Amino acid sequence: MRTSRRQFLKVSAAAALFPMPAIAQGAGPRVVVIGGGFAGATAARFMKSGNSAATVTLVEASPTFTACPFSNTVLAGMRPLTDQQFGYDKIAASGVTVVIQPATAVDAQGKSVTLGNGTRLPYDRLIMAPGIDLRWDGLPGYDEKAAEVMPHAWKASEQTALLRKQLESMQDGGTVAIVAPANPFRCPPGPYERASLIAHYLKASKPKSKLLILDAKDAFSKQRLFQNAWKELYPNLEWVSLSQGGKVTSVDPAAKTLKTDFSEHKVDVANVIPPQRAGAIAQQAGVADRTGWCPIDASTFESKLVPNIHVIGDAAIMGGMPKSAFSANAQAKFCATAVTAMLAGQKPAEPRLINTCYSLIAPDYGITVAGVYKPTDGVLADVQGAGGVSPIDAPKSNRELEAQFAEGWFKTITGEVFG
Ligand SMILES: Cc1cc2nc3c(=O)[nH]c(=O)nc-3n(C[C@H](O)[C@H](O)[C@H](O)COP(=O)(O)OP(=O)(O)OC[C@H]3O[C@@H](n4cnc5c(N)ncnc54)[C@H](O)[C@@H]3O)c2cc1C
């Protein structure tokens, strides 16, 4: 069954206006997906395309998705925020029932999801892909109010626009600090790509300014590639590691200061990326453990804590696989086939998953890390000898090509998920 745009809007409006006991469902299996980001939107589409008899309902809190990949280019003034934004019309047109409402509760025993307006959605299998939430208790002084002064911009949209505005308003000669969290967190190379692109902007527009990365780690993704490039391109960028005293222990938004165990930094623009955990609905559903993340069976992505619920994307503990949009999309496709097999009483095939993370160091300077993963001893582990990083001594033409591949990847994945 195909759903027209008008029908889709009707579904959304009905869900918004009338608290109902349950939305009527067809005869096939009922699959509900929570979260319409890279993981959830992909899973819903694949679930429906491989299983036309199933009723697939995608529950998403916001009518517009703002993608994080490439949002660092918005901070550098390379593209507008609107290029990061996508709607759900095409997903609705593919036969998925899209409901724009927050999921507020999961009744794992009764197998239903309750929405913000009171609607209840029964399911046979639930796929949860709520992404991350920021731990507002994770860094003393940093809460939602502080984020209005010291943006995290780790969920894109208003926060990205705010950080861009602050960078634009800063005087030449100012200091920008990026506070990078300990592992695990969304997009391991993200803070360093961000530092590179902000440094690119400062070099061109405010060359007397400084950029400081205050880090709670001693090592990070694609480190040698980033550091070599910084030496060559951005002499005003300084990385302070954990063992050099880089770990920020508290922040004071009113004074614009960042405290470490050894010093206090007064800065003009502070981009604080705090510790994270799985989206709040995962905690409510009982699929997150004490780490704040969701343990899963590496072969099916079914929760280790609650049956009939699968968790994919950033919210899940995926072993060696990084929290990236590329990973989320790959996990979603496999999860959809596993759920289809399980609903038919079959054993799913074992997954082999690929991740590739591109990072831009400048508009014409791209680098990559790639990996292949399979279940090993109960977790998704690296397949030894597969994948790797860009060559350390590649010519400029390679870096230019990788920057183009990055752009191509973003167009392809967003086209596949939302187009
Ligand atoms: C600056 C930055 C740069 C990045 N660059 C890259 C990159 O170059 N390549 C790459 O592969 N990855 C990149 N990432 C990582 C990537 O953005 C994430 O890994 C990816 O978005 C994870 O997908 P997800 O579906 O798990 O979560 P999300 O994409 O965040 O989607 C979660 C969705 O769930 C919805 N939701 C949450 N709770 C509820 C609820 N209760 N009810 C209804 N809906 C709900 C949210 O509104 C959201 O739409 C980057 C991240 C950042 C921050």
Side-chain angles (χ1 to χ4, degrees), residues 35 37-39 60-61 65 68-69 103 130-131 186-187 313-314 323-326 409:
F38 284 101
E60 165 56 49
F65 179 73
C68 286
R186 159 175 283 182
C187 194
D314 284 1
K323 296 186 188 301
S324 75
F326 196 119
W409 167 77

Side-chain angles (χ1 to χ4, degrees), residues 33-42 58-62 64-73 75 84 88 99-105 113-115 128-133 152-156 160 185-191 193-194 222 273 276 279-282 312-316 322-329 331 355-360 406 409-410 413 418:
V33 181
I34 297 178
F38 284 101
T42 308
L58 176 64
V59 178
E60 165 56 49
S62 166
T64 305
F65 179 73
T66 307
C68 286
F70 268 72
S71 65
N72 288 329
T73 66
L75 299 177
Q84 298 293 115
Y88 291 94
V99 182
I100 302 300
Q101 275 289 311
T104 52
V113 175
T114 303
L115 308 185
M128 296 190 69
I132 58 156
D133 265 344
H152 52 79
W154 219 240
K155 288 184 175 198
T160 316
F185 64 99
R186 159 175 283 182
C187 194
E193 178 190 69
R194 175 170 290 178
K222 295 179 259 190
I273 306 166
Q276 297 147 36
I281 190 71
I312 52 174
D314 284 1
K323 296 186 188 301
S324 75
F326 196 119
S327 298
N329 175 262
Q331 292 157 13
N355 175 61
T356 305
C357 277
Y358 297 97
S359 299
L360 290 178
W409 167 77
F410 184 71
I413 193 170
F418 299 102

Side-chain angles (χ1 to χ4, degrees), residues 62 64 66 75 81 85 147-148 151-165:
S62 166
T64 305
T66 307
L75 299 177
L81 188 61
Q85 294 179 322
E148 289 166 19
H152 52 79
W154 219 240
K155 288 184 175 198
S157 194
E158 294 88 6
Q159 280 275 307
T160 316
L162 176 61
L163 183 53
R164 171 66 190 157
K165 202 164 137 224

